[in-house]
């Protein structure tokens, strides 16, 4: 193992007394991010003013940081660019893929997909007004549902609720054999598990950076387009920064070269300063090491919780090779149990209707954190400590 996870842990700010198992929703603060953002504010924005676009390299940042993310998801340099939010990138990738399959009308996804992805697909279908159909089947039924009328298969690789992982390479092979393109959402894959987009022959992929990649709340999303498709894609969101020459201020839109055309408008410079600090940490990480450590953490958690909490039902696949880097348990009082856990310093989250969800990020979560968290959960269950009114009032964000 070349990755040193005790060294990376020291590079994150984690409040005293907290065991953080929610980095799959919002990654913690890389210590260097605070000073990196401060420098960006005072030395770049403050002193360079508009000159920062050239002098501080703000304009190249979406592609430069895209290349650093590319390494983590098995993409070649020059095939990933940052910007906007993940919902927007889902829309953009799906619109581009549909246009490459003009004779076909079916989009296939699964019922476990994140609602925003399905909402965006639904909205795009309405906007196009061309008779497209969004079809959803159970996650296990996706392979057999790939048919010859399929235009695009749109999937989230790792299920946000259960952590169940699709077999990316085999679904791509199957979809391509049927003449369809595939759009992957890597929200719970990027920085969580090894991904090999180029090796698997992926067409499009999108993901966010504020979960396992720790760019902070509101951090930009990324999009990948396979290099052989990038110059054929016609961007539906044809913003000026995706233009071949934004500063020609041409009245006619001409798409930029390759992945650059997937840019839309002004990038979030301060947020990318935070991402840069996080990617410095990722530089030392080997993804195979990350996966081995992640499996060790999730296996330990499942075994400890199942041994002590018989009323919690595992909602994640038992085989670690069929799940991402998160573990979920079901319980009818899941919300209250999670609030009781948070009150004791173990932070996970709740997903309706009954899921307690825990994310495991080897960069800052050690095996002893996992056994300590399981022990606190066991105590809460054994004493019914969750059964109090203050743990049952739902907050706006769960
Ligand atoms: C987190 C997540 C999103 C969130 O999209 P935003 O536009 O960044 O809010 C979308 N899709 C999936 C699968 C997610 O897990």
């Amino acid at each position: 193992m070349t990755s040193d996870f005790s060294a990376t842990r020291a590079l994150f700010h984690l409040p005293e007394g907290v065991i953080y198992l929610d980095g799959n929703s919002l990654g913690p603060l890389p210590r260097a991010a605070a000073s990196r953002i401060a420098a960006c504010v005072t030395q770049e924005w403050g002193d360079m003013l508009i000159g920062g676009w050239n002098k501080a390299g703000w304009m190249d940042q979406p592609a430069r940081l895209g290349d650093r993310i590319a390494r983590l998801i098995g993409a070649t340099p020059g095939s990933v660019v940052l910007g906007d939010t993940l919902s927007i990138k889902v829309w953009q990738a799906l619109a581009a893929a549909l246009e490459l399959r003009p004779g076909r009308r079916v989009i296939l996804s699964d019922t476990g997909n994140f609602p925003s992805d399905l909402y965006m697909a639904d909205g795009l279908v309405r906007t196009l007004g061309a008779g497209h159909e969004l079809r959803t089947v159970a996650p296990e039924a996706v392979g057999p549902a790939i048919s010859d009328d399929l235009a695009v298969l749109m999937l989230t690789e790792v299920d946000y609720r259960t952590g169940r992982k699709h077999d990316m390479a085999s679904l791509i092979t199957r979809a391509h054999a049927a003449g369809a393109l595939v759009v992957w959402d890597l929200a719970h894959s990027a920085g969580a598990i090894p991904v090999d987009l180029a090796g698997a022959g992926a067409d499009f992929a999108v993901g966010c950076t504020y979960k396992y990649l720790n760019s902070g709340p509101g951090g930009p999303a990324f999009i990948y387009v396979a290099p052989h498709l990038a110059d054929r894609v016609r961007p539906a969101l044809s913003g000026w920064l995706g233009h071949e020459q934004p500063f020609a201020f041409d009245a006619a839109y001409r798409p930029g070269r390759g992945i650059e055309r997937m840019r839309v408008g002004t990038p979030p410079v301060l947020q990318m300063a935070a991402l840069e600090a996080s990617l410095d940490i990722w530089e030392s990480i080997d993804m195979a090491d990350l996966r081995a450590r992640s499996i060790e953490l999730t296996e330990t958690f499942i075994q400890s919780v199942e041994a002590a909490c018989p009323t919690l039902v595992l909602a994640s696949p038992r085989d670690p090779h069929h799940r991402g880097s998160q573990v979920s348990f079901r319980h009818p009082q899941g919300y209250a149990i999670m609030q009781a856990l948070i009150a004791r310093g173990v932070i996970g989250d709740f997903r309706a209707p009954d899921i307690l969800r825990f994310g495991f990020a080897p960069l800052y979560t050690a095996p002893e954190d996992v056994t300590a968290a399981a022990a606190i959960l066991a105590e809460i269950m054994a004493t019914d400590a969750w059964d109090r009114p203050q743990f049952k009032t739902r907050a706006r964000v769960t």
Side-chain angles (χ1 to χ4, degrees), residues 248-279:
F249 295 106
D250 205 334
Y253 179 77
R254 276 178 288 120
R257 289 183 50 219
I259 195 68
E260 284 282 322
R261 67 183 57 187
M262 302 315 266
R263 291 177 65 164
V264 182
T266 304
V269 172
L270 297 179
Q271 205 78 58
M272 281 195 288
L275 176 60
E276 201 157 32
S278 170
L279 290 174

Side-chain angles (χ1 to χ4, degrees), residues 39 44 46 77 92 98 115 123-124 129 131 149 157 167-168 172 212 224 260 266 268 272 275 298 315 342:
E44 298 181 10
Q92 201 184 22
L98 287 176
L124 176 61
D149 60 351
E157 187 189 18
D167 183 341
M168 179 184 285
I172 289 175
Y212 291 91
Y224 163 85
E260 284 282 322
T266 304
M272 281 195 288
L275 176 60
T298 56
I342 294 169

Side-chain angles (χ1 to χ4, degrees), residues 14 75 92-93 127 151-152 295 309 333 369:
L14 293 163
Q92 201 184 22
T127 304
V152 179
I295 289 176
C309 310
Q333 293 294 337
D369 297 324

Side-chain angles (χ1 to χ4, degrees), residues 15-368:
E16 196 62 41
V18 163
I19 299 175
Y20 195 59
L21 304 180
D22 213 2
N24 50 325
S25 261
L26 177 68
L29 173 71
R31 288 184 189 278
S35 55
R36 181 73 191 80
I37 293 170
C40 185
V41 168
T42 56
Q43 291 159 30
E44 298 181 10
W45 179 19
D47 290 341
M48 295 178 190
L49 294 161
I50 198 160
W53 289 106
N54 289 320
K55 280 189 254 172
W58 295 343
M59 199 45 95
D60 306 324
Q61 228 175 4
R64 201 173 61 236
L65 298 190
D67 280 348
R68 297 179 72 182
I69 289 173
R71 183 186 78 82
L72 306 176
I73 55 175
T76 48
S79 61
V80 176
V81 77
L82 287 149
D84 316 299
T85 78
L86 178 49
S87 303
I88 302 286
K89 278 352 213 181
V90 167
W91 202 93
Q92 201 184 22
L94 185 58
L98 287 176
E99 200 173 1
L100 290 171
R101 286 293 175 272
R104 298 183 176 208
R105 291 288 176 271
V106 177
I107 304 160
L108 178 66
S109 191
D110 71 54
T111 51
N113 204 346
F114 191 76
S116 196
D117 296 41
L118 299 176
Y119 302 158
M120 293 311 270
D122 191 50
L124 176 61
V125 165
R126 269 187 289 115
T127 304
L128 291 173
H132 287 93
E133 175 202 344
L134 172 62
R135 212 176 264 172
T136 53
V137 297
E140 308 71 38
V142 167
I146 294 172
S147 50
D148 286 344
D149 60 351
L150 188 59
V152 179
L153 177 62
M154 180 189 83
L155 295 172
T156 296
E157 187 189 18
V158 175
D159 187 299
Y160 77 102
R161 273 206 200 93
T162 64
R164 174 206 38 76
K165 186 169 83 64
H166 277 301
D167 183 341
M168 179 184 285
S170 82
L171 287 171
I172 289 175
T173 303
R174 215 158 158 166
H176 285 176
L181 291 169
V182 190
V183 173
W184 290 99
D185 187 328
L186 303 178
H188 299 278
S189 306
I193 57 174
V195 178
D196 186 9
L197 289 178
D203 304 304
F204 295 86
V206 294
C208 50
T209 60
Y210 53 78
K211 291 173 180 162
Y212 291 91
L213 296 178
N214 316 306
S215 69
F222 64 83
I223 184 165
Y224 163 85
V225 181
H228 74 280
L229 295 176
D231 281 321
R232 290 172 52 204
V233 162
R234 284 212 319 163
L237 299 174
S238 38
W240 74 304
L241 289 188
H243 191 280
E244 190 181 22
Q245 282 184 297
F247 287 86
F249 295 106
D250 205 334
Y253 179 77
R254 276 178 288 120
R257 289 183 50 219
I259 195 68
E260 284 282 322
R261 67 183 57 187
M262 302 315 266
R263 291 177 65 164
V264 182
T266 304
V269 172
L270 297 179
Q271 205 78 58
M272 281 195 288
L275 176 60
E276 201 157 32
S278 170
L279 290 174
D280 286 346
I281 302 174
W282 278 102
E283 214 59 53
S284 70
I285 300 299
D286 177 274
M287 295 308 282
D289 294 344
L290 184 92
R291 182 62 169 156
R293 178 76 151 198
S294 155
I295 289 176
E296 179 192 340
L297 297 176
T298 56
E299 288 288 275
T300 302
F301 190 67
I302 292 173
Q303 282 157 21
S304 316
V305 172
E306 287 194 321
C309 310
T311 59
L312 292 176
V313 178
L314 183 66
S316 301
R318 195 166 289 281
D319 179 346
H321 299 104
H322 291 161
R323 62 174 190 256
S325 198
Q326 65 186 68
V327 171
S328 300
F329 286 95
R330 289 184 197 281
H331 191 284
Q333 293 294 337
Y335 185 80
I337 296 166
M338 186 53 79
Q339 303 325 301
L341 264 174
I342 294 169
R344 295 278 310 269
V346 178
I347 303 181
D349 60 24
F350 171 78
R351 287 294 173 262
D354 58 356
I355 296 260
L356 295 117
R357 190 174 74 149
F358 303 92
F360 296 86
L363 261 56
Y364 49 83
T365 305
E368 51 274 24

